[in-house]
C-alpha cells in the first residue's frame, strides 16, 4: 500500500524514512519516576530535517523502578525495551511511541515536519491515507499482562491548535488497535463491527474491528477482534477509512484536521512489565483527491 517515494508526476506525499535508515542514531533511556522527555530523530544528511519524534510517555507512572530504553539505530530498526517493577495499579501507566507530525505531548514544541507528508492535513482533501508498518511485540505479553499496540490519532476542528492529549469537543481521539490484551476489557460502548481490507504479511484479507465510542463520544476506538489480532507482523491498510468512520460516529463533522500519525504500546494494571517492541517499517502516504 505505502511506497518509499511517490511515482513520477504524482502529488502523493510519502514518508522518505519508511525503512528507518535515513536518520542519525539516537537513544532515550527513561528511568522510572524521572521526567520523561521526547527525542527527535534528524536526517543523517541534514540535521534540519526532523524525521520522527519518540517519547517514553510515562504519564501515569507514580511508583516503581526500572527503565524504558528507546533507540533509533539508523539501520532499519526503531525499538524500545520495557523493564519495570513495583508499578502503581492504573489502567495505563505509559504509552511509549513514535510519531510524525504535530506533537500531542509538548504543546507543539516538538513538532516534526522533515518528511513530505504535511500535518495538520484536512481529511476532506484526501482520497486515501495508506499506512504500512512492520513490528514485533515480544516478552511477557500474555496472561495478566495488560498491553496493546495502538495507532493513536487526534483530529481537531481547527488546523492550528495546541493538542492537549485530552479528547474534547474540539479534538477527537481515534485509536486503532491491531493488538489489545487488557483484563478490564474494551473502553466505552460497542457501536458495531467495522471491517477493513488489509494486507497482512503480504496477503490481502479482511480484518474485523470492534468499534467503540468512549469518553462521551470524544474517543472512537477500533479493536481487532480476538483471533485476528496482530502482536507481530506487517500490516498495511487505509487509515482514512477509520478516521472518516470515527468522525461520522462522533456526530461532529467539524472534526477535520488530522494532526499526526502515532504508533506505540500502552501498558498498565500490572506491577511488573517486561517486553520489547521493535519496528522495522513505518510508512504512510497522503494521497490527495486532486493535485
Amino acid at each position: 500500500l505505502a511506497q518509499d517515494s511517490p511515482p513520477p508526476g504524482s502529488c502523493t506525499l510519502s514518508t522518505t524514512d519508511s525503512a528507518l535508515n535515513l536518520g542519525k542514531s539516537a537513544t532515550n533511556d527513561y528511568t522510572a519516576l524521572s521526567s520523561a522527555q521526547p527525542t527527535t530523530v534528524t536526517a543523517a544528511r541534514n540535521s534540519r530535517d526532523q524525521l520522527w519524534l519518540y517519547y517514553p510517555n510515562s504519564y501515569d507512572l507514580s511508583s516503581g523502578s526500572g527503565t524504558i530504553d528507546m533507540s533509533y539505530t539508523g539501520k532499519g530498526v526503531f525499538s524500545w525495551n520495557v523493564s519495570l517493577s513495583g508499578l502503581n495499579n492504573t489502567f495505563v501507566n505509559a504509552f511509549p511511541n513514535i510519531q510524525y507530525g504535530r506533537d500531542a505531548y509538548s504543546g507543539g514544541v516538538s513538532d516534526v515536519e522533515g518528511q513530505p507528508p504535511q500535518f495538520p492535513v484536512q481529511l476532506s482533501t484526501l482520497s486515501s491515507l495508506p499506512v504500512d508498518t512492520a513490528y514485533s511485540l515480544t516478552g511477557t505479553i500474555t496472561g495478566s499482562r495488560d498491553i496493546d499496540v495502538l495507532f493513536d490519532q487526534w483530529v481537531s476542528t481547527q488546523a492550528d491548535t495546541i493538542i492537549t492529549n485530552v479528547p474534547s469537543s474540539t479534538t477527537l481521539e481515534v485509536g486503532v488497535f491491531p493488538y489489545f490484551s487488557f483484563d478490564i476489557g474494551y473502553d466505552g460502548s460497542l457501536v458495531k463491527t467495522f471491517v477493513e481490507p488489509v494486507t497482512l504479511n503480504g496477503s490481502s484479507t479482511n480484518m474485523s474491528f470492534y468499534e467503540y465510542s468512549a469518553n462521551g463520544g470524544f474517543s472512537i476506538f477500533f479493536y481487532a477482534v480476538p483471533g485476528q489480532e496482530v502482536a507481530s507482523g506487517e500490516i498495511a491498510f487505509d487509515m482514512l477509512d477509520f478516521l472518516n468512520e470515527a468522525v461520522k460516529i462522533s456526530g461532529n463533522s467539524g472534526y477535520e484536521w488530522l494532526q499526526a500519525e502515532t504508533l506505540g504500546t500502552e501498558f498498565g494494571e500490572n506491577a511488573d512489565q517486561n517486553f520489547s517492541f521493535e519496528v522495522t517499517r513505518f510508512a504512510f502516504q497522503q494521497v490527495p483527491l486532486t493535485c
Side-chain angles (χ1 to χ4, degrees):
L1 282 178
Q3 304 175 35
D4 291 328
S5 60
S10 171
C11 55
T12 294
L13 301 178
S14 304
T15 46
T16 51
D17 193 32
S18 301
L20 305 175
N21 59 4
L22 298 181
K24 296 179 182 177
S25 62
T27 61
N28 186 328
D29 297 333
Y30 166 81
T31 300
L33 308 187
S34 65
S35 177
Q37 299 296 325
T39 295
T40 300
V41 174
T42 59
R45 293 186 177 182
N46 185 352
S47 61
R48 290 176 297 179
D49 286 344
Q50 299 175 323
L51 300 179
W52 307 103
L53 183 82
Y54 64 92
Y55 186 41
N57 196 19
S58 55
Y59 67 91
D60 203 3
L61 199 157
S62 59
S63 68
S65 60
T67 60
I68 302 174
D69 295 331
M70 310 182 76
S71 66
Y72 173 98
T73 65
K75 298 179 180 179
V77 177
F78 179 85
S79 65
W80 50 86
N81 297 304
V82 176
S83 179
L84 295 165
S85 61
L87 303 180
N88 53 297
N89 188 352
T90 188
F91 181 49
V92 175
N93 292 113
F95 175 52
N97 64 78
I98 179 174
Q99 66 171 296
Y100 178 81
R102 292 291 182 95
D103 173 29
Y105 310 110
S106 67
V109 174
S110 300
D111 295 346
V112 286
E113 300 173 337
Q115 300 190 60
Q118 299 174 359
F119 290 99
V121 62
Q122 196 170 17
L123 298 184
S124 61
T125 66
L126 299 175
S127 65
S128 63
L129 184 61
V131 174
D132 181 353
T133 185
Y135 61 83
S136 176
L137 177 62
T138 58
T140 309
I141 62 171
T142 58
S144 62
R145 308 292 172 163
D146 288 0
I147 300 173
D148 63 40
V149 177
L150 165 63
F151 293 92
D152 200 27
Q153 296 150 110
W154 303 88
V155 184
S156 300
T157 57
Q158 296 180 354
D160 295 321
T161 185
I162 293 183
I163 312 168
T164 60
N165 198 23
V166 176
S168 67
S169 60
T170 60
T171 304
L172 176 70
E173 181 183 18
V174 182
V176 179
F177 298 80
Y179 179 80
F180 181 87
S181 179
F182 275 71
D183 287 344
I184 198 171
Y186 307 124
D187 187 13
S189 301
L190 178 64
V191 176
K192 63 182 180 183
T193 298
F194 182 80
V195 180
E196 173 69 11
V198 305
T199 301
L200 183 60
N201 298 321
S203 298
S204 297
T205 186
N206 287 327
M207 191 168 176
S208 296
F209 294 80
Y210 292 139
E211 181 177 352
Y212 273 71
S213 175
N215 297 319
F218 298 140
S219 296
I220 306 296
F221 298 135
F222 299 86
Y223 302 95
V225 303
Q228 295 191 37
E229 295 173 314
V230 183
S232 299
E234 181 172 3
I235 183 171
F237 57 91
D238 188 352
M239 185 66 77
L240 188 63
D241 293 340
F242 291 95
L243 296 170
N244 284 338
E245 170 68 11
V247 171
K248 182 178 72 173
I249 294 302
S250 76
N252 183 357
S253 60
Y255 292 130
E256 179 68 6
W257 295 92
L258 175 63
Q259 300 290 332
E261 283 293 342
T262 304
L263 173 66
T265 55
E266 293 179 315
F267 61 86
E269 292 197 310
N270 196 286
D272 302 315
Q273 295 286 355
N274 295 277
F275 67 90
S276 297
F277 189 70
E278 182 176 280
V279 183
T280 54
R281 181 172 178 81
F282 191 19
F284 53 90
Q285 295 177 311
Q286 294 171 347
V287 184
L289 284 169
T290 59
C291 291

